[in-house]
């Protein structure tokens, strides 16, 4: 229970007790007052009338006024009859008084009157006695009532007096003692208050504080320094460059490798704001670009490995920025305390990749000549200049021709790929007319389309502007779109080539009636070697990847719109010249 509620209840209870006591006291006094008032009105007055009548009786012989006085008091007495027997006594008095007046103050009647008055007085005095006993009884029961209520109030008030202050003071005392202990370097002190009062919260905060103090106390300086040295040595011995920043982006540490690749000295780096260091060092700038300006976060760029020239050789690194958060002792929420930038050295993998690309380039280059010569030889054989060939031989020659054609396509794609991978795309960008690119491409695929009885339709705007492009490479892309469209379309279907102008762009698109591409593969098909699972594996999965590189190298954009069962539309857009 909250202290506030406890106090309110305690004081409220005392207030109720005071009200109760007042009520009981007032009620008892009232009862007593009623009893005494009764005596006064009912009996005391009668005694007064009787005394007046007796006095007047003594003066009767001398004064006529006395008769009136007796008359008056007798009337009053008749109106104040309160006791049993008083009525009869008063009636007797009235009769004897009347007789006295008639027989002219007879001595015997005189005596009878005195007797009547004495009787009335006796009755009233007895009543006074009785009523005073009743009053005594009322007084006694009031005393008991007040005593019981008083005792009850006393017990409750006493309980409150004992419990309430201790309830508030005890936790304070306990806390004060614990604080004193902590001041005396005893950090093992903890306080536990079971109830959910304000003290419960206070105890929780106190315990957290004590826990933290204990932790600080246990970690003595030499131990801390040793641990710091150990961690520094570990970081320094790491093969990968590592830079640590605090939450305000101040550089906390940079290992030897990091200093080596940045070419900076320790004193130029440690303790400096990373923003300041990035102003004088390009590498640091590219490392912390995302941290300083998170809004310019470019995903594409992030994936690119960083090329660094250090120790008289080129090395490749992959950057990883790790957010560091810790759970402070005794707390429940994590707190961000900085970043660690790790550069993973991927040079060996890059070298292997180069070796692979070079190997592919060499092989495909070397294969191109013999394959071309095989193709030429088959053409010679076909022309029958070297002698007649029979039907079976013709079939064999056709199959050799097809295979060499496929081999040529594959080797040319591999060559293109190796060019792309080594960054050696030789672009011959010039003013090219879209019609020329279209003719070049349609001519190249005409025969293949005819073989599948596919109609090639073109929907081309008139007066299209020229585009800034390498005609040959762009045509290669369009051919690749068309070849794919033919390959992945059913026989006797239609392929529509559309070329339109859109602002400062010319849009080339190829629409087919094939089975379409699932949404989840739309971006992936532009990746190297990717082929949609379940589709016919005629090619290498390189065509679209190379197309993307070619178009993007010409500052164009490439993409696909497709839905399963609705065919596909591959497009690329190039800038007008
Ligand atoms: P490939 O040599 O396999 O055709 P591409 O890079 O040209 O390689 O195409 C990658 C994959 O994209 C193909 O394997 C195919 O699954 C899918 N694809 C390309 N064009 C189409 C199309 N017009 N219709 C359906 N799927 C296509």
């Amino acid at each position: 229970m909250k202290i506030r509620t406890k106090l309110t209840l305690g004081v409220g209870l005392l207030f109720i007790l005071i009200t109760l006591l007042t009520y009981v006291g007032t009620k008892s006094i009232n009862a007593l007052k009623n009893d005494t008032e009764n005596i006064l009105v009912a009996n005391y007055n009668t005694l007064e009338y009787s005394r007046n009548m007796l006095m007047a009786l003594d003066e009767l012989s001398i004064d006529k006024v006395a008769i009136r006085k007796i008359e008056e008091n007798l009337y009053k007495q008749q109106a104040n009859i309160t006791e049993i027997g008083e009525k009869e006594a008063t009636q007797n008095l009235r009769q004897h008084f009347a007789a006295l007046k008639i027989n002219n103050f007879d001595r015997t009647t005189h005596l009878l009157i005195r007797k009547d008055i004495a009787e009335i007085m006796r009755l009233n005095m007895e009543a006074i006695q009785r009523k005073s006993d009743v009053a005594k009884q009322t007084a006694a029961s009031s005393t008991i009532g007040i005593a019981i209520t008083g005792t009850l109030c006393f017990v409750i008030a006493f309980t409150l007096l004992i419990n309430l202050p201790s309830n508030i003071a005890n936790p304070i005392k306990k806390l004060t003692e614990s604080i004193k202990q902590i001041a005396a370097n005893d950090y093992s002190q903890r306080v536990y208050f079971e109830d959910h009062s304000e003290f419960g919260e206070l105890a929780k905060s106190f315990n957290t504080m004590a826990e933290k103090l204990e932790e600080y106390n246990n970690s003595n300086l030499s131990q801390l320094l040793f641990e710091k040295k150990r961690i520094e040595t570990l970081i320094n011995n790491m093969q990968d460059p590592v830079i640590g920043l605090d939450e305000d982006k101040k550089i906390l540490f940079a290992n030897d490798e990091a200093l080596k690749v940045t070419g900076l000295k320790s004193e130029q780096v440690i303790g400096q704001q990373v923003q300041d260091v990035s102003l004088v060092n390009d590498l640091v700038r590219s490392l912390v670009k995302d941290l300083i300006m998170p809004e310019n976060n470019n995903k594409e760029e992030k994936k690119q490995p960083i090329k660094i020239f250090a120790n008289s050789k080129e090395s490749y690194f992959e950057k990883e920025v790790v957010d560091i958060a810790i759970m402070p002792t005794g707390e429940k929420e994590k707190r961000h305390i900085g970043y660690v930038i790790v550069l993973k050295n991927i040079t060996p993998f890059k070298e292997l990749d180069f070796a692979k690309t070079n190997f592919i380039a060499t092989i495909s280059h070397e294969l191109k000549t013999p394959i071309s010569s095989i193709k030429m030889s088959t053409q010679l054989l076909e022309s029958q200049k070297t002698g007649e060939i029979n039907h079976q031989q013709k079939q064999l020659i056709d199959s050799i021709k097809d295979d060499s054609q496929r081999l040529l396509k594959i080797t040319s794609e591999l060559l293109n790929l190796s060019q792309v991978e080594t960054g050696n795309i030789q672009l011959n960008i010039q003013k090219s007319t879209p019609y020329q690119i279209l003719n070049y491409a349609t001519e190249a695929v005409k025969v293949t389309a005819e073989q599948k009885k596919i109609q090639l339709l073109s929907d081309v705007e008139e007066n299209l502007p020229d585009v800034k492009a390498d005609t040959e490479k762009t045509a290669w892309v369009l051919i690749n779109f068309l070849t794919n469209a033919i390959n992945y379309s059913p026989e006797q279907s239609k392929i529509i080539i559309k070329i339109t102008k859109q602002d400062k762009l010319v849009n080339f698109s190829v629409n087919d009636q094939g089975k379409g591409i699932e949404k989840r593969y739309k971006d992936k098909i532009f990746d190297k070697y990717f082929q949609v699972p379940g589709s016919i594996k005629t090619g290498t999965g390189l065509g679209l990847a190379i197309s993307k590189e070619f178009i993007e190298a010409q500052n164009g954009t490439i993409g696909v719109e497709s839905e399963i069962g609705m065919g596909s539309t591959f497009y690329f857009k190039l800038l007008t010249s």
Side-chain angles (χ1 to χ4, degrees):
M1 203 192 282
K2 299 256 180 221
I3 304 170
R4 196 193 155 96
T5 327
K6 273 186 196 165
L7 278 174
T8 317
L9 282 181
V11 175
L13 201 59
L14 280 177
F15 178 76
I16 292 170
L17 291 179
I18 291 168
T19 318
L20 186 70
L21 259 179
T22 315
Y23 172 73
V24 173
T26 318
K27 209 180 154 206
S28 308
I29 290 167
N30 257 338
L32 272 175
K33 193 181 127 214
N34 283 345
D35 285 354
T36 47
E37 237 173 34
N38 216 3
I39 296 172
L40 188 78
V41 175
N43 308 105
Y44 178 79
N45 287 350
T46 301
L47 290 180
E48 179 76 21
Y49 306 146
S50 306
R51 194 175 67 92
N52 288 344
M53 282 189 281
L54 280 176
M55 273 162 58
L57 210 59
D58 289 341
E59 293 161 11
L60 206 58
S61 50
I62 328 152
D63 195 355
K64 287 271 175 188
V65 180
I67 292 202
R68 221 181 321 129
K69 207 171 177 183
I70 292 172
E71 196 82 50
E72 240 171 56
N73 281 293
L74 189 56
Y75 270 118
K76 280 183 189 167
Q77 168 56 24
Q78 272 178 321
N80 190 30
I81 290 166
T82 52
E83 306 307 322
I84 303 165
E86 195 177 354
K87 194 177 175 187
E88 291 77 23
T90 311
Q91 269 170 5
N92 286 344
L93 178 63
R94 160 83 39 212
Q95 276 168 16
H96 292 139
F97 184 59
L100 184 76
K101 280 196 281 183
I102 296 166
N103 53 31
N104 213 5
F105 307 111
D106 167 54
R107 179 100 189 123
T108 327
T109 319
H110 207 281
L111 278 173
L112 279 174
I113 287 174
R114 276 186 185 280
K115 219 174 141 193
D116 289 339
I117 291 174
E119 176 62 13
I120 290 169
M121 283 175 85
R122 185 191 64 81
L123 281 173
N124 277 285
M125 276 166 74
E126 269 177 19
I128 284 175
Q129 183 63 45
R130 204 177 57 246
K131 283 178 187 173
S132 125
D133 286 348
V134 170
K136 258 189 217 157
Q137 241 173 24
T138 311
S141 59
S142 295
T143 313
I144 292 170
I146 290 173
I148 290 172
T149 324
T151 316
L152 199 75
C153 293
F154 174 79
V155 171
I156 295 172
F158 191 73
T159 319
L160 275 179
L161 185 76
I162 298 293
N163 287 326
L164 198 60
S166 63
N167 231 310
I168 297 167
N170 284 355
I172 295 177
K173 203 170 145 199
K174 216 168 163 189
L175 261 174
T176 317
E177 269 165 22
S178 300
I179 290 168
K180 274 186 192 158
Q181 292 290 326
I182 280 182
N185 290 345
D186 175 8
Y187 299 109
S188 61
Q189 285 298 316
R190 301 284 182 278
V191 279
Y192 298 102
F193 301 131
E194 289 306 315
D195 59 356
H196 297 290
S197 69
E198 290 87 336
F199 289 116
E201 291 292 312
L202 193 63
K204 245 191 248 165
S205 310
F206 176 86
N207 290 345
T208 310
M209 181 197 74
E211 210 175 314
K212 283 188 181 184
L213 283 173
E214 193 174 20
E215 188 190 74
Y216 292 144
N217 188 52
N218 289 343
S219 48
N220 74 47
L221 195 60
S222 64
Q223 202 180 334
L224 275 179
L225 286 175
F226 178 75
E227 289 303 329
K228 186 172 174 264
K229 259 256 133 6
R230 194 206 312 255
I231 290 167
E232 275 173 0
T233 319
L234 268 173
I235 293 171
N236 267 337
N237 279 312
M238 277 174 74
Q239 294 297 312
D240 295 329
V242 183
I243 300 173
L245 311 176
D246 71 5
E247 65 272 39
D248 298 323
K249 303 191 183 93
K250 194 163 81 182
I251 302 175
L252 294 173
F253 60 82
N255 69 355
D256 292 346
E257 275 303 311
L259 294 176
K260 228 186 267 174
V261 296
T262 53
L264 292 167
K265 290 204 179 78
S266 164
E267 54 272 19
Q268 292 176 291
V269 178
I270 314 292
Q272 305 292 326
Q273 277 304 128
V274 81
Q275 295 92 322
D276 300 339
V277 181
S278 70
L279 290 178
V280 293
N281 191 289
D282 292 344
L283 178 57
V284 176
R285 184 164 51 245
S286 73
L287 290 183
V288 298
K289 203 163 52 188
D290 307 340
L291 284 181
I292 301 174
M293 292 180 294
E295 63 279 6
N296 292 354
N297 217 337
N298 189 336
K299 270 192 190 161
E300 277 294 314
E301 231 173 75
K302 244 189 197 171
K303 280 198 271 173
Q304 291 291 327
I306 300 169
K307 191 156 124 189
I308 298 170
F309 190 82
N311 293 337
S312 50
K313 69 172 170 92
E314 265 182 359
S315 303
Y316 289 87
F317 293 93
E318 230 172 49
K319 180 181 80 172
E320 198 179 335
V321 181
V322 189
D323 273 14
I324 308 291
I326 55 155
M327 183 86 83
T329 319
E331 288 182 24
K332 286 203 176 96
E333 261 177 38
K334 279 194 166 184
R335 189 150 60 89
H336 173 71
I337 56 156
Y339 312 87
V340 169
I341 303 168
V342 186
L343 288 176
K344 278 193 219 144
N345 194 339
I346 53 161
T347 319
F349 302 106
K350 264 281 170 199
E351 280 168 356
L352 277 176
D353 201 38
F354 276 140
K356 177 210 78 187
T357 312
N358 283 339
F359 178 72
I360 290 174
T362 322
I363 293 282
S364 45
H365 185 78
E366 292 300 323
L367 283 178
K368 230 177 159 179
T369 329
I371 297 168
S372 301
S373 97
I374 292 171
K375 218 178 138 189
M376 267 172 57
S377 307
T378 50
Q379 274 165 357
L380 264 176
L381 282 173
E382 245 185 342
S383 69
Q384 306 209 356
K385 279 180 191 157
T386 50
E388 271 198 22
I389 48 166
N390 62 27
H391 179 66
Q392 267 180 332
Q393 285 165 337
K394 170 107 178 47
Q395 273 185 335
L396 283 172
I397 291 168
D398 281 347
S399 124
I400 294 170
K401 225 171 75 183
D402 281 354
D403 285 344
S404 53
Q405 183 58 38
R406 270 191 66 204
L407 274 173
L408 257 184
K409 186 178 173 260
I410 292 171
T411 44
S412 94
E413 277 185 359
L414 286 172
L415 248 174
N416 278 332
L417 176 77
S418 55
Q419 270 187 15
V420 165
E421 289 203 332
T422 48
N424 289 338
I425 317 176
Q426 303 287 332
L427 287 175
N428 180 19
I429 295 192
Q430 57 190 23
K431 267 189 178 186
S432 318
T433 60
Y435 306 108
Q436 191 189 355
I437 297 170
L438 173 71
N439 285 341
Y440 199 70
T442 42
E443 278 305 310
V445 297
K446 214 163 72 185
V447 182
T448 339
E450 273 166 12
Q451 279 170 357
K452 272 186 97 174
K453 297 191 184 71
I454 289 176
Q455 269 189 66
L456 283 182
L457 305 170
S458 36
D459 170 8
V460 181
E461 268 182 28
E462 278 177 23
N463 301 326
L464 282 169
D466 287 346
V467 285
K468 272 192 241 167
D470 178 322
T471 317
E472 209 183 307
K473 297 253 178 330
T474 313
W476 189 94
V477 176
L478 197 56
I479 292 170
N480 189 56
F481 280 5
L482 287 169
T483 326
N484 278 345
I486 295 167
N487 278 341
Y488 302 110
S489 292
E491 283 195 5
Q492 294 181 337
S493 59
K494 282 180 195 159
I495 293 173
I496 304 165
I497 312 161
K498 210 169 169 183
I499 310 179
T500 51
K501 187 176 176 284
Q502 294 175 351
D503 293 329
K504 289 187 171 172
L505 297 168
V506 174
N507 185 7
F508 295 74
S509 69
V510 174
N511 169 263
D512 64 48
Q513 296 174 331
K515 70 166 187 166
I517 298 159
E518 272 183 63
K519 210 175 170 189
R520 59 188 163 140
Y521 297 130
K522 265 190 192 169
D523 289 327
K524 283 202 160 163
I525 54 170
F526 291 96
D527 288 348
K528 273 179 264 175
Y529 306 110
F530 183 82
Q531 293 181 304
V532 173
S535 67
I536 38 163
K537 302 264 185 298
T538 50
T540 51
L542 287 170
L544 289 176
I546 296 167
S547 303
K548 188 169 187 259
E549 295 287 344
F550 279 174
I551 295 299
E552 284 177 358
Q554 298 177 69
N555 295 324
T557 49
I558 192 166
V560 62
E561 277 157 17
S562 180
E563 255 173 61
I564 278 288
M566 307 290 285
S568 320
T569 306
F570 281 85
Y571 64 85
F572 62 84
K573 296 174 187 178
L574 291 172
L575 286 168
T576 54
S577 63

